[in-house]
Amino acid sequence: MSFSVKQAVELLNQGIPVGMPTETVYGLAARIDLPESIKKIFLIKKRPFFDPLIVHVSNVNQAKTLSKEWSIICDELAKKFWPGPLTLVLKKSEQVNELISSGLETVGIRHPNHPLAQQLIEEVGCPLAAPSANRFGRTSPTTAQDVLEELGDQGIQTLDGGKCSVGIESTVLSVNLVLTQKSTSQQWQLRILRPGLITKKDIDGVLQKIGNYSWADQEAGSTLSSPGQMKHHYMPAIPLILVPEHMSEKQLALYVQQRLDQIPREFEGVKLHVPRKIEKIVELKLSEQAEIAARELYANLRKLAATKADIIYFRLFKSYQLDVWQALRDRLEKAASLKFTD
Ligand code: TXA
Ligand code: MG
């Protein structure tokens, strides 16, 4: 018999983390009021304690209990995008254990749009902290089977909610109250810490009518790092190489062969299998429609990593530079070991 919500609730109440489906990627969930259980999440994932966790709620009222600075900005964003793939990073309340926020003053909060996640949080009656359910630095899981492959050896049980409909992690948005002597009303500063399906433009579309906010200085298209936003992340077990659109496989094999020494065997603690000789190469293919490509990305990467090829490559086609690809660009570039440019 498959693992039920009732069984998942029992485990969570005993302080044992469980795999939880969401619309973005699968998470490894634990009750936020059981610090030992939160600690287990870090140990199971081999995640450094400086990388904070996102807290998942089943409604806005629950979200409000987690933050000291819930504002009209948050109300509007939640009204439009929740439940959905938007995480709000806000000043935290006392309810949030410092293990969750890695000692920061803020906490990431999200209301996931998946019926099983919502049911689970409701039945537990407590928000759930959940990072993606992969070993640290690796490709995020988008099916229950992926979680089994990532964390099954640690005895993790997972609620099977099918394939994730979004496929890449939520947009992480920091909403920060700025106090200036001149200002008589509250001013908010926004910053995208991790791009996702919901873009800056989408957010502006909702907030422009309110107006008391600005975007933190940020280079166009770039993202400022948040703790744990490493340069390399989401990596498949074999090297992923980004190549110009028209490079032939033959050219590519030669090129990579000459540069094998440049591919580190380990990135920020994540081990990578680098071959001695390039014999088998496989292409990562994605839909040209960004939303569909997002759904395919991690599943395809996993499939290709399992073929035991020496390297995976991805062609940087023209529209790759367009805004709609920003979140995918972020994931692909962090997953890649090498990038060739024309
Ligand atoms: O879609 C998602 O967000 C998935 C699903 C499971 O909800 N979760 C997820 O969690 O991707 P995780 O832990 O893999 O990534 C969370 C990211 C990390 O880069 C972390 O540094 C950032 O969010 N983050 C969390 N809390 C933060 C905070 N208080 N300040 C800044 N960044 C924060
Ligand atoms: Mg993750």
Side-chain angles (χ1 to χ4, degrees), residues 11-217:
L11 289 188
L12 288 170
N13 289 344
Q14 289 166 28
I16 301 169
V18 303
M20 168 176 81
T22 83
E23 79 282 28
T24 56
V25 300
Y26 275 68
L28 179 65
R31 287 182 63 116
I32 62 158
D33 58 350
L34 300 178
E36 279 306 312
S37 176
I38 300 294
K39 208 188 255 172
K40 279 185 198 153
I41 288 185
F42 286 91
L43 299 177
I44 290 167
K45 277 186 59 110
K46 301 195 171 51
R47 178 181 178 115
F49 282 99
F50 60 76
D51 190 359
L53 306 178
I54 292 173
V55 176
H56 296 69
V57 297
S58 58
N59 57 59
V60 170
N61 281 338
Q62 213 171 37
K64 288 180 182 170
T65 66
L66 301 171
S67 172
K68 276 192 212 158
E69 281 181 2
W70 187 272
S71 59
I72 181 173
I73 297 267
C74 303
D75 273 329
E76 291 298 321
L77 292 173
K79 217 190 300 167
K80 173 77 182 174
F81 299 116
W82 279 6
L86 177 69
T87 296
L88 298 176
V89 171
L90 309 172
K91 175 107 14 104
K92 76 182 184 81
S93 74
E94 291 75 30
Q95 280 225 25
V96 181
N97 184 290
E98 61 181 17
L99 270 175
I100 296 172
S101 55
S102 300
L104 299 172
E105 291 285 290
T106 55
V107 60
I109 311 170
R110 181 164 107 77
H111 182 189
N113 189 16
H114 191 293
L116 281 184
Q118 292 172 359
Q119 196 187 340
L120 187 64
I121 302 165
E122 256 160 44
E123 292 194 14
V124 170
C126 169
L128 299 176
S132 52
N134 49 280
R135 280 169 293 149
F136 182 70
R138 291 289 188 203
T139 312
S140 301
T142 52
T143 64
Q145 179 62 30
D146 295 344
V147 182
L148 190 69
E149 277 164 30
E150 285 287 320
L151 305 174
D153 60 341
Q154 312 245 19
I156 295 304
Q157 303 224 56
T158 302
L159 274 177
D160 193 343
K163 267 192 200 159
C164 298
S165 58
V166 174
I168 56 171
E169 302 80 356
S170 60
T171 304
V172 177
L173 177 74
S174 141
V175 180
N176 197 14
L177 181 61
V178 278
L179 297 166
T180 56
Q181 282 176 339
K182 271 184 281 169
S183 70
T184 46
S185 64
Q186 288 183 325
Q187 278 292 325
W188 301 89
Q189 194 174 56
L190 309 191
R191 179 177 287 182
I192 290 185
L193 302 177
R194 178 177 69 186
L197 188 72
I198 294 169
T199 61
K200 189 171 167 180
K201 206 165 136 202
D202 297 330
I203 294 165
D204 276 330
V206 174
L207 297 183
Q208 253 153 15
K209 62 174 188 226
I210 308 179
N212 57 341
Y213 75 98
S214 60
W215 289 95
D217 282 341

Side-chain angles (χ1 to χ4, degrees), residues 209-256:
K209 62 174 188 226
I210 308 179
N212 57 341
Y213 75 98
S214 60
W215 289 95
D217 282 341
Q218 217 165 322
E219 281 171 39
S222 85
T223 50
L224 282 175
S225 61
S226 70
Q229 275 295 78
M230 309 296 218
K231 219 164 140 214
H232 292 282
H233 222 79
Y234 316 111
M235 291 184 110
I238 56 178
L240 168 70
I241 321 272
L242 307 183
V243 308
E245 187 166 13
H246 299 296
M247 191 174 224
S248 72
E249 282 202 358
K250 214 167 160 187
Q251 271 178 311
L252 170 67
L254 204 70
Y255 204 103
V256 178

